[in-house]
Amino acid sequence: MSVSNAAIAAVFEEIADILEIEGANPYRVRAYRNAARTVSAYGTELAPLLARGATLPKMPGIGEDLAGKIAEIAATGSCALRERLHREVPAAIVSLLQVAGIGPKRVKLLYHDLGIETPEQLLEAARAGRVQRLHGFGARTEARLMEALQRQLAPGRRYPLADVAAQGEALAAALRGCRGLRSITVCGSVRRMRDTVGDLDLLAVTRTPATVMRRFLGLPAVGEVLTRGPTRATVMLRSGLQADLRAIAPEAEGAALVYFTGSKAHNIAIRRRAQKRRLKISEYGVFRGARRIAGATEAEVYAAIGLPPIPPELREDRGEIAAAAADQLPRLIERADLRGDLHVHTIGSDGTADLEAMAQAARRAGLQYIAITDHSRSTRVAHGLDEARLLRQLDAIDALNARLDGVVLLKGIEVDILADGRLDLPDRVLGRLDIVVGAVHAHFDLPRRRQLLRLQRALDHRHFHVLAHPSCRLIGTREPLDVDISAVIRSAAQRGCGLELNAQPQRMDLLDTHCREAQAQGVPISIASDAHGPRDFDWLHYGVGQARRGWLRREDVVNTRTLDELRQWLGARSSQASSEHRRRGP
Ligand code: DGT
Ligand code: CA
Ligand code: CA
């Protein structure tokens, strides 16, 4: 597997972070940050290009030195400078940067003034009240840090799917080609596409487990070995994530896949079903007495207990076994069904690329249309658009649509839902847009009743189409809004609005169970990347995974429609809303 532009950018970001912690020249720090941004926004993957022997394309701000580093990282995943920096500062210190609310400047202060190197030490110092005395911290910051740290250091911490899946894929890729290895699969909650993951579960199919185990334990990503046996091992990865590896013989591959994919509740339910047929299911196969009657493939295992194969995303013991037995499993949505993306940012607000770069990236991602939905003015940190800037963007979209082939840009906005439920831009502006996506970005802690009224008032708005990231949770950092989501879903149904399933790794919002509720109410779902850069369309894959966990079919998802069908829905929503508006009076 080659090193992605995002991975190259991440190395540059890390170098910039450490240089900043060390107090390096700000220009030097900025050069690495700019390089990170340029590389991650670049439309073509660089590593395969370089591997073919091509020279690096000219990129703004990338001189000879940085170009050399890009080549080094593309070839090896790292570079000499980064390795040296890792030797100079305690490696753990970089993990301090992952604590919400502290950047390099603060890490530097904590290290120099208090000798703090790890999140654990920081929590201890905060509890002792030593942090608030530092320049630029204060009691409120200390309290916020303490809260973030307690969450981060809590046992049973769960990680966003996309992050863990990438690590799992990298491990699997590093093992592929190992002698005697027939296949390697990431199982567990990752294969079920659960939004958060506790640990990685890898399944290796081989007749020579010892060779595979040795290779696995020697991988650079593997830190501490926690337990090991002839066919299993548990390790702590350097990233801080735990991983299990199990080796199994080819004739048991299917049974082992079923077992290690889980969920545990699903396994227990199918075991019960097997028992009724006097069969025994384990990771080694399906047995009648001592005789193995199935096990090589998953389909064979399910067939042995009278079921069609059940997609991994449904294996939660939430009715999938009864549905399978009645031959009523839904035909789940697939990534290829998505024709568009209704939530995309550009440099107009806090994105990293311009309209055209996002349009081209969308086309490469197989999309036929995208809605440009930059932030509105209230979201100041994101440099939200006011009326004048939005109108200029609309002209730019017209001009671009006139010369673009293969992808159409829709005019939209991610408009702030203000504390009282009003929208952040006047009607005369919203009325000119193709699509209005509304979202909460502040006042997360209103009383439960008021929060619902706020969202309902927004949904009532005649120009409103889709409620973005409805719960507003951020995995590991922000709890969901305290609001009756079922009531929000019913309100959306009554008003003909859609709900978004936001596929950003930290969001994954709507939840799977709420997808199912929305489906039952006939609320269209928009699976959206909320892309802030060209590579972010990759996240749609995880959004589709979550939709599948919510039993959604192609017809439940509004951005599977053709552009004409979509426009019809958007238009119908506006005219329905305005007639209701007239009925109810202004
Ligand atoms: P996670 O890691 O918390 O995100 O969730 P999983 O589902 O990956 O759980 P994990 O890693 O504890 O176990 C991986 C799979 O192994 C799980 O999905 C099903 C299977 N498994 C684990 N423990 C048991 C058990 O006690 N009984 C059965 N039947 N299966 C189990
Ligand atoms: Ca797991
Ligand atoms: Ca596990």
Side-chain angles (χ1 to χ4, degrees):
M1 225 177 65
S2 77
V3 179
S4 66
N5 289 359
I8 298 173
V11 173
F12 283 153
E13 280 291 354
E14 194 184 322
I15 290 174
D17 286 341
I18 302 181
L19 285 174
E20 202 168 343
I21 294 170
E22 287 197 328
N25 179 334
Y27 291 104
R28 189 155 171 238
V29 174
R30 201 167 317 139
Y32 283 102
R33 293 223 192 277
N34 289 341
R37 202 159 334 123
T38 307
V39 170
S40 76
Y42 197 72
T44 321
E45 283 298 322
L46 296 170
L49 210 84
L50 292 167
R52 283 199 304 272
T55 51
L56 197 71
K58 275 243 163 305
M59 289 184 281
I62 308 280
E64 211 172 295
D65 173 62
L66 282 167
K69 290 202 169 65
I70 291 175
E72 205 182 339
I73 302 166
T76 67
S78 187
C79 66
L81 171 61
R82 180 215 210 184
E83 300 303 311
R84 199 195 82 213
L85 290 171
H86 270 264
R87 284 192 297 272
E88 283 171 10
V89 303
I93 222 176
V94 178
S95 71
L96 275 179
L97 290 169
Q98 257 121 57
V99 179
I102 47 180
K105 287 200 186 68
R106 286 183 159 166
V107 171
K108 183 180 161 195
L109 269 176
L110 290 164
Y111 179 53
H112 284 288
D113 293 9
L114 298 179
I116 289 169
E117 295 177 13
T118 66
E120 288 82 1
Q121 291 167 352
L122 179 55
L123 180 57
E124 201 184 303
R127 281 189 174 136
R130 281 187 284 138
V131 173
Q132 56 172 289
R133 276 179 256 138
L134 284 183
H135 177 72
F137 276 78
R140 272 185 53 195
T141 306
E142 186 180 68
R144 249 203 329 267
L145 274 178
M146 208 148 43
E147 203 181 300
L149 283 161
Q150 268 154 358
R151 216 171 357 227
Q152 181 176 334
L153 297 173
R157 177 168 179 222
R158 303 187 62 81
Y159 301 83
L161 169 65
D163 303 351
V164 179
Q167 293 184 54
E169 257 324 300
L171 285 173
L175 283 176
R176 274 185 201 114
C178 173
R179 266 187 55 170
L181 181 73
R182 306 241 184 141
S183 72
I184 176 96
T185 310
V186 183
C187 295
S189 48
V190 171
R191 185 156 179 250
R192 301 197 313 280
M193 299 289 266
R194 191 169 161 191
D195 52 1
T196 65
V197 174
D199 75 352
L200 267 173
D201 304 280
L202 293 162
L203 180 69
V205 176
T206 176
R207 290 213 184 280
T208 52
T211 322
V212 176
M213 283 293 155
R214 208 170 324 118
R215 173 82 168 259
F216 176 66
L217 297 177
L219 292 177
V222 171
E224 196 185 343
V225 178
L226 302 176
T227 66
R228 61 185 294 186
T231 60
R232 66 180 76 196
T234 299
V235 302
M236 184 61 84
L237 301 175
R238 287 191 200 285
S239 67
L241 185 72
Q242 211 168 296
D244 292 331
L245 175 70
R246 272 293 292 271
I248 202 107
E251 56 275 15
E253 176 168 12
L257 277 171
V258 170
Y259 184 87
F260 292 110
T261 298
S263 66
K264 192 170 159 181
H266 175 86
N267 286 356
I268 291 171
I270 60 173
R271 200 181 309 145
R272 222 181 297 124
R273 187 176 167 92
Q275 272 160 4
K276 284 192 195 132
R277 298 165 182 242
R278 301 183 176 281
L279 298 173
K280 218 180 123 262
I281 290 197
S282 73
E283 63 264 52
Y284 301 107
V286 185
F287 298 88
R288 173 169 286 127
R291 197 165 67 89
R292 188 211 309 261
I293 62 162
T297 67
E298 285 194 307
E300 196 180 295
V301 170
Y302 282 107
I305 51 172
L307 298 176
I310 299 177
E313 295 91 337
L314 296 185
R315 301 182 195 170
E316 297 289 344
D317 194 22
R318 294 181 188 154
E320 72 278 10
I321 294 169
D327 207 15
Q328 280 174 355
L329 283 174
R331 196 187 158 127
L332 298 176
I333 179 169
E334 293 175 10
R335 169 63 181 84
D337 293 330
L338 296 187
R339 286 197 163 98
D341 188 337
L342 301 182
H343 189 162
V344 174
H345 293 271
T346 71
I347 46 175
S349 60
D350 57 348
T352 60
D354 62 15
L355 287 169
E356 180 155 12
M358 292 310 278
Q360 304 289 12
R363 206 184 45 176
R364 283 194 303 274
L367 302 176
Q368 297 160 18
Y369 54 84
I370 54 173
I372 300 301
T373 55
D374 273 312
H375 287 286
S376 64
R377 57 194 174 183
S378 280
T379 306
R380 290 217 183 77
V381 285
H383 196 47
L385 298 173
D386 58 20
E387 183 173 345
R389 283 175 53 224
L390 176 58
L391 294 178
R392 277 205 298 280
Q393 188 181 61
L394 301 189
D395 290 339
I397 290 176
D398 280 333
L400 193 55
N401 274 334
R403 63 185 175 83
L404 268 186
D405 273 336
V407 62
V408 172
L409 303 188
L410 295 171
K411 297 169 184 168
I413 188 85
E414 179 179 9
V415 66
D416 255 46
I417 299 174
L418 304 177
D420 61 3
R422 281 180 306 129
L423 303 182
D424 188 27
L425 284 167
D427 277 16
R428 65 170 182 281
V429 184
L430 297 177
R432 293 187 50 176
L433 302 175
D434 299 314
I435 177 167
V436 173
V437 174
V440 164
H441 290 115
H443 305 284
F444 299 109
D445 49 5
L446 296 185
R448 190 171 167 82
R449 179 79 197 140
R450 263 183 65 198
Q451 196 67 274
L452 177 61
L453 290 173
R454 172 196 197 180
L455 295 181
Q456 284 173 329
R457 184 166 179 200
L459 291 168
D460 267 337
H461 195 285
R462 53 199 291 230
H463 295 304
F464 199 96
H465 291 107
V466 177
L467 177 62
H469 45 76
S471 91
C472 291
R473 65 109 177 238
L474 290 176
I475 293 167
T477 46
R478 186 165 67 219
E479 293 300 314
L481 296 179
D482 179 19
V483 70
D484 180 350
I485 283 278
S486 300
V488 174
I489 293 170
R490 280 194 305 276
S491 301
Q494 284 156 8
R495 293 156 176 80
C497 291
L499 293 177
E500 179 183 273
L501 196 182
N502 187 300
Q504 267 193 26
Q506 282 77 17
R507 290 197 183 270
M508 296 297 277
D509 181 12
L510 219 44
L511 299 189
D512 50 6
T513 47
H514 295 145
C515 285
R516 229 172 144 181
E517 230 178 296
Q519 177 191 52
Q521 301 270 340
V523 175
I525 303 295
S526 158
I527 301 178
S529 67
D530 196 352
H532 283 67
R535 293 192 52 89
D536 298 350
F537 293 108
D538 291 354
W539 292 336
L540 290 171
H541 166 70
Y542 298 103
V544 169
Q546 176 129 311
R548 289 167 64 90
R549 290 177 59 79
W551 293 53
L552 298 192
R553 305 153 303 171
R554 176 223 271 266
E555 55 269 36
D556 301 316
V557 174
V558 71
N559 50 316
T560 61
R561 301 184 189 177
T562 64
L563 183 55
D564 283 346
E565 291 164 349
L566 177 82
R567 281 194 196 278
Q568 247 167 44
W569 178 71
L570 294 171
R573 160 74 196 133
S574 302
S575 50
Q576 175 197 347
S578 54
S579 63
E580 257 171 43
H581 202 69
R582 276 195 300 277
R583 259 203 324 277
R584 284 198 216 138

